[in-house]
Amino acid sequence: MPKAQETVLEIDLKALKHNFDHLKSRLNSNTKFMAVVKAFAYGSDACELANYLQNQAVDYFAVAFVHEGVKLREAGITKPILVLHPQAANFKILIDNCLEPNLYNAKILNEFIAIASTEKLNHYPIHIKFNTGLNRLGFSENEVNTVVSKVKETSAVKIQSVFSHLAASEDLNERDFTLNQIEKFKNITEALTKAMGYKPLLHICNTSGILNYSEAHFDMVRSGIGMYGFGNSEKENKNFKPIGTLKTIISQIHEINKGESVGYNRAFKTDAFLRTATLPIGHADGIGRQYGKGKGYVIINNQKAYIIGNVCMDMIMVNVTDFDCKEGDEVIVFGPNNTAENLAETANTISYELITGISQRVKRVFIGY
Ligand SMILES: *Cc1c(COP(=O)(O)O)cnc(C)c1O
């Protein structure tokens, strides 16, 4: 691997393949796989990754918003794409791009049927989401008949899938709650299937659902974080390889004497001699201020160098007092060995937030084709 000469997010497609193959190995061979590539494929690069995954055995893609789906179409993705959280204002664009909406309440279902009828669509695939306990999006369990009667009234749409989302699939202390969600989902989908007279695809599992509730895979699973290399537990993490390595370099080394300060607002004052390294990565790149003041760290020559003082927009300063390092040396912010999950913990957050927050300013480079 070439040494970094600037801040880059290196994406290892071999690791992506490893994770995908592992997830597939946890499924029955006929269970479909929906690759969740919302938010730039969790900060990596949705178009590049979707193109790679399209050549693997991926059945479906999912994004959060319509414009994310449009980007995938423009990049040559031909497989079906579910839009998890569409807004009615974008329905025409959604239809023009053959994207498939999640319809989660009566208002948006009516709005979609109205435009689908105006556009003279026939059996356009829609996805119906039910709320089974997350209380975020979805029809409630007593709205099955509402859905059925609205959809039966028209030939403009057909229910391609019915799904729900688990609230705590990674937390085994909440096992009873999760099992209850799964049970509710079964009851809802049995009633709906019977009333519709055909069986849509059923799906409820995200990555941790796949790993912890093999009895609930139904017809399809939806995975995001697992593909990107995190199993959401110490045990499961061993089966995955983080695909992203965020690298940067040392721009400058300073020797700081007792009584001096480092950075904005003089947030760090030293009572002893120290050496600092200034790195070209800051909060505008996705390393937020919550990592500052000694919480977050980077790896320089296999040692943890803690962030000193406030994180700046384009820079951080780290403590390299006793390190063997020099200007131009490579720095690892996170990667397979010191994971984004570990770094995220230092700021009381989770891998998801850290990796999706790496801004578009950071160049993505791909290895392992
Ligand atoms: C983001 C999302 C997923 C993917 O979850 P992971 O934990 O990353 O696997 C699945 N389903 C829905 C509805 C989502 O919003």
Side-chain angles (χ1 to χ4, degrees), residues 36 38 42 84 129 136 165 206-207 222-225 352:
V36 180
K38 62 192 180 191
Y42 291 36
L84 291 163
K129 187 174 203 178
R136 193 172 71 173
H165 196 33
N206 61 348
T207 297
R222 308 184 300 270
S223 176
I225 200 78
Y352 294 68

Side-chain angles (χ1 to χ4, degrees), residues 2 191 219:
D219 302 309

Side-chain angles (χ1 to χ4, degrees), residues 58-256:
V58 162
D59 301 285
Y60 247 96
F61 289 103
V63 292
F65 303 124
V66 170
H67 65 270
E68 296 181 299
V70 173
K71 279 258 170 64
L72 293 183
R73 287 287 182 245
E74 286 167 359
I77 301 304
T78 53
K79 292 225 165 133
I81 301 172
L82 165 61
V83 181
L84 291 163
H85 197 170
Q87 300 298 333
N90 300 321
F91 277 161
K92 179 76 171 72
I93 303 169
L94 175 142
I95 291 166
D96 289 345
N97 286 275
C98 296
L99 307 171
E100 302 177 10
N102 164 26
L103 303 174
Y104 48 82
N105 64 10
K107 177 174 186 288
I108 199 157
L109 176 60
N110 287 336
E111 286 167 328
F112 192 77
I113 289 176
I115 188 166
S117 307
T118 311
E119 297 282 317
K120 302 203 168 24
L121 301 179
N122 189 31
H123 291 127
Y124 195 90
I126 62 170
H127 301 256
I128 301 289
K129 187 174 203 178
F130 280 90
N131 173 28
T132 53
L134 179 60
N135 290 325
R136 193 172 71 173
L137 285 182
F139 286 96
S140 72
E141 56 187 325
N142 56 30
E143 289 178 294
V144 172
N145 291 335
T146 313
V147 172
V148 169
S149 61
K150 281 185 199 304
V151 175
K152 274 194 157 174
E153 258 168 28
T154 171
S155 59
V157 301
K158 69 150 195 251
I159 302 178
Q160 174 75 1
S161 90
V162 179
F163 73 110
S164 187
H165 196 33
L166 298 173
S169 56
E170 72 279 23
D171 184 354
L172 296 178
N173 294 322
E174 294 289 359
R175 199 173 160 77
D176 288 346
F177 181 88
T178 303
L179 291 173
N180 183 263
Q181 280 198 275
I182 294 166
E183 192 56 35
K184 265 193 188 157
F185 183 64
K186 276 190 188 147
N187 295 336
I188 290 165
T189 54
E190 262 164 36
L192 186 137
T193 300
K194 206 163 153 207
M196 288 308 300
Y198 60 87
K199 190 175 170 297
L201 294 172
L202 309 181
H203 47 113
I204 193 169
C205 283
N206 61 348
T207 297
S208 289
I210 296 170
L211 303 175
N212 296 329
Y213 297 91
S214 59
E215 69 275 27
H217 290 173
F218 296 96
D219 302 309
M220 182 156 71
V221 295
R222 308 184 300 270
S223 176
I225 200 78
M227 290 195 302
Y228 309 117
F230 299 92
N232 292 338
S233 77
E234 229 172 274
K235 176 166 156 267
E236 292 292 354
N237 281 344
K238 295 196 177 77
N239 295 315
F240 294 94
K241 296 180 181 168
I243 68 167
T245 302
L246 182 58
K247 297 175 168 180
T248 185
I249 65 166
I250 298 177
S251 298
Q252 192 173 11
I253 288 183
H254 285 280
E255 300 197 332
I256 316 280

